[in-house]
Amino acid sequence: MPASRDSAAWRAEARATVALAGPIVLTNLSQMALALTETALLGRFGTRELAAGMLAASLHFAMLAPALGLALAAAPLQAQIRGHGRVAGGAGRGWVRGMRRATRASLWAVVLAILPAWAVLWESAAVLRALGQDPALADLAQHYTRGAMFGIPAFCAFIVLRGFLAAMERPAAAMWVSLGAVALNLPVAWALIFPAGLGVAGAGLAITVANAAMVAALLVLIARDRVFRRFRILGRFWRPDAARTKEVFLVGLPIAGAMLLEIGVFSAAALAMGWFGAIAVGAHAIAIQTASTTFMVPLGIGQAATARVGLAIGAGDVAGAARAGWVAVALGGGFMLAMAVTLLVAAPGIAWLFLDPGVPGAMEVAALGTMLLRIAGLFQLGDGLQVVVAGALRGLKDTRVPMLFAALGYWGIGLPMGLALAQFGGFGPRGIWMGLGVGLAVVAGLMLLRWRRLSA
């Protein structure tokens, strides 16, 4: 009988995780679709525009990392507050106020992190030139960053509100809003890139429009919902809350650090691709966009794990927290194994989805992109496991040690190995991706060992 109850508990956890992760995954895929749409449009506008858009997006996401990490800190705080509130009686005003304070403090922390990022993005051409990029590509990339940078506050606010919905186990609203943003972005981006003739600049402006629409729509939905409106989620937003803001920074800065390390290593890889010319950068854009798309699924499972683990810990259920984490690991690992096979088999067809055969250089970009996609297939499992386990650890508010793992795996092993293989091993652009794959595998192994120890 105990074994039967235990099996039932695992099945119930799997159902709860899938129910929560499903809308979150679709939300992530929708957000990824924004970038994929613009990559595909720029690829048809021209190979240099595609390369410039890739360089711009790499710098943009690197500078986004601090604010996004602080936004993601809201999720474990909100989940643990709600988990404790359910045990304490659910309807009490204390946990409702706690959810509002955690949300408000996260938004203020995001604002503080955005200002220095804006300063860098505004002068991104000079930054890219200093990093050894082609001046013409750097100037084109700046057109994108200056258009996209003003959408960062809205995007981070959307992430904070999505964390609130996940903690409440009602993530569907964020999903529908994200799907609506994709539907909006396609015609807006097309109109700005082609008929308006803005090219790369139009792609950046379209992202800002989509992000602003997402957060506005989500605020309206929350305000009109019978359950959510009682939280008055932006109530007294102007009031400082030093205690909660400090907690956001304590949890969020290591998340931001780990994200900056991961985003930074892929941004550095994109910059290193620039040393091999526009063909290499274009091929890298195809491979990274594809790998990033598959990554959205384990990312969403990891975000669901943050909420599930946090809810269990807040309720004092240590065994339930461990169960939630291991279920997420199994789901994420299984999906990424399937994606590994897909990329290995279907790489040529995927590469041509991003290219117009009539564009000069398309054949060369497709050939190199196919090779990079197959290398990406080899590290799908490691990439998926590390992000799922990181999400489970966040549910425990364990963020500092995972950041150190990321530093070792990405910068101590992955990037140096990739550069050595590319420059001295004769592998060229392929070597960079080989090194990244090894780094991801190291991080995944270390994360799993830590989760096993903390969840025992």
Side-chain angles (χ1 to χ4, degrees), residues 40-42 44-45 189-199:
L41 290 174
L42 289 175
R44 283 160 174 75
F45 194 82
W190 179 84
L192 292 174
I193 292 171
F194 290 101
L198 295 178

Side-chain angles (χ1 to χ4, degrees), residues 25-39 61 182 288-296:
V25 167
L26 287 174
T27 301
N28 289 340
L29 288 171
S30 299
Q31 291 167 354
M32 193 65 217
L34 299 178
L36 283 171
T37 297
E38 299 199 341
T39 299
F61 283 111
V182 175
I288 198 67
Q289 291 286 7
T290 304
S292 297
T293 301
T294 63
F295 178 78
M296 291 299 106

Side-chain angles (χ1 to χ4, degrees), residues 215-232:
V215 74
L218 200 55
L219 283 170
V220 169
L221 289 173
I222 289 172
R224 296 186 61 170
D225 186 274
R226 180 179 57 83
V227 173
F228 295 152
R229 72 165 65 106
R230 69 189 175 112
F231 287 88
R232 295 184 296 110

Side-chain angles (χ1 to χ4, degrees), residues 48-450:
R48 291 190 64 81
E49 285 75 12
L50 174 63
M54 181 63 207
L55 291 175
S58 297
L59 182 61
H60 177 88
F61 283 111
M63 298 312 301
L64 169 66
L68 182 55
L70 293 169
L72 288 169
L77 301 181
Q78 292 160 332
Q80 289 197 15
I81 290 168
R82 195 206 172 199
H84 180 73
R86 288 199 302 193
V87 172
R93 295 176 58 110
W95 76 275
V96 171
R97 185 167 57 251
M99 292 281 277
R100 181 169 59 251
R101 289 178 61 197
T103 302
R104 181 176 61 199
S106 299
L107 291 171
W108 273 111
V110 162
V111 170
L112 295 175
I114 284 172
L115 298 177
W118 272 358
V120 174
L121 290 172
W122 188 257
E123 297 297 336
S124 55
V127 173
L128 291 170
R129 285 195 209 98
L131 293 170
Q133 298 306 301
D134 178 276
L137 287 180
D139 289 340
L140 273 177
Q142 181 169 276
H143 293 317
Y144 179 96
T145 58
R146 287 188 173 180
M149 59 184 276
F150 296 106
I152 292 177
F155 177 72
C156 290
F158 175 82
I159 295 299
V160 172
L161 296 175
R162 189 184 67 176
F164 165 76
L165 294 173
M168 296 298 295
E169 299 179 283
R170 292 268 305 277
M175 176 190 72
W176 290 114
V177 166
S178 292
L179 290 171
V182 175
L184 172 68
N185 180 252
L186 179 58
V188 170
W190 179 84
L192 292 174
I193 292 171
F194 290 101
L198 295 178
V200 176
L205 288 171
I207 283 291
T208 289
V209 171
N211 287 335
M214 282 197 304
V215 74
L218 200 55
L219 283 170
V220 169
L221 289 173
I222 289 172
R224 296 186 61 170
D225 186 274
R226 180 179 57 83
V227 173
F228 295 152
R229 72 165 65 106
R230 69 189 175 112
F231 287 88
R232 295 184 296 110
I233 205 69
L234 295 182
R236 298 182 179 179
F237 179 74
W238 59 89
R239 290 185 59 179
D241 191 338
R244 285 291 185 195
T245 304
K246 179 181 177 181
E247 188 176 16
V248 170
F249 275 98
L250 286 174
V251 175
L253 284 179
I255 297 175
M259 289 190 61
L260 187 57
L261 289 165
E262 184 172 3
I263 293 172
V265 79
F266 281 98
S267 297
L271 296 173
M273 288 290 178
W275 303 338
F276 294 95
I279 296 297
V281 174
H284 178 76
I286 291 170
I288 198 67
Q289 291 286 7
T290 304
S292 297
T293 301
T294 63
F295 178 78
M296 291 299 106
V297 176
L299 175 62
I301 294 171
Q303 289 163 341
T306 298
R308 295 295 303 166
V309 171
L311 286 167
I313 288 295
D317 183 4
V318 176
R323 188 164 49 245
W326 286 117
V327 164
V329 167
L331 292 171
F335 175 83
M336 290 305 261
L337 279 174
M339 289 301 98
V341 174
T342 301
L343 291 185
L344 290 171
V345 172
I350 294 171
W352 279 110
L353 291 174
F354 293 87
L355 296 166
D356 183 343
V359 172
M363 187 69 70
E364 292 84 353
V365 173
L368 181 55
T370 296
M371 287 190 283
L372 297 184
L373 282 168
R374 285 177 172 152
I375 296 170
L378 297 175
F379 67 74
Q380 288 288 285
L381 181 60
D383 199 17
L385 288 178
Q386 62 87 19
V387 74
V388 170
V389 181
L393 289 170
R394 285 174 193 169
L396 303 176
K397 297 184 184 177
D398 180 52
T399 56
R400 187 177 64 85
V401 172
M403 178 187 69
L404 299 178
F405 290 162
L408 173 64
Y410 302 144
W411 292 90
I413 297 174
L415 186 61
M417 179 181 290
L419 293 176
L421 290 171
Q423 296 284 9
F424 308 114
F427 289 95
R430 293 173 298 156
I432 294 172
W433 276 72
M434 292 175 186
L436 294 177
V438 172
L440 285 167
V442 169
V443 175
L446 293 172
M447 292 279 203
L448 280 168
L449 288 173
R450 182 159 181 82

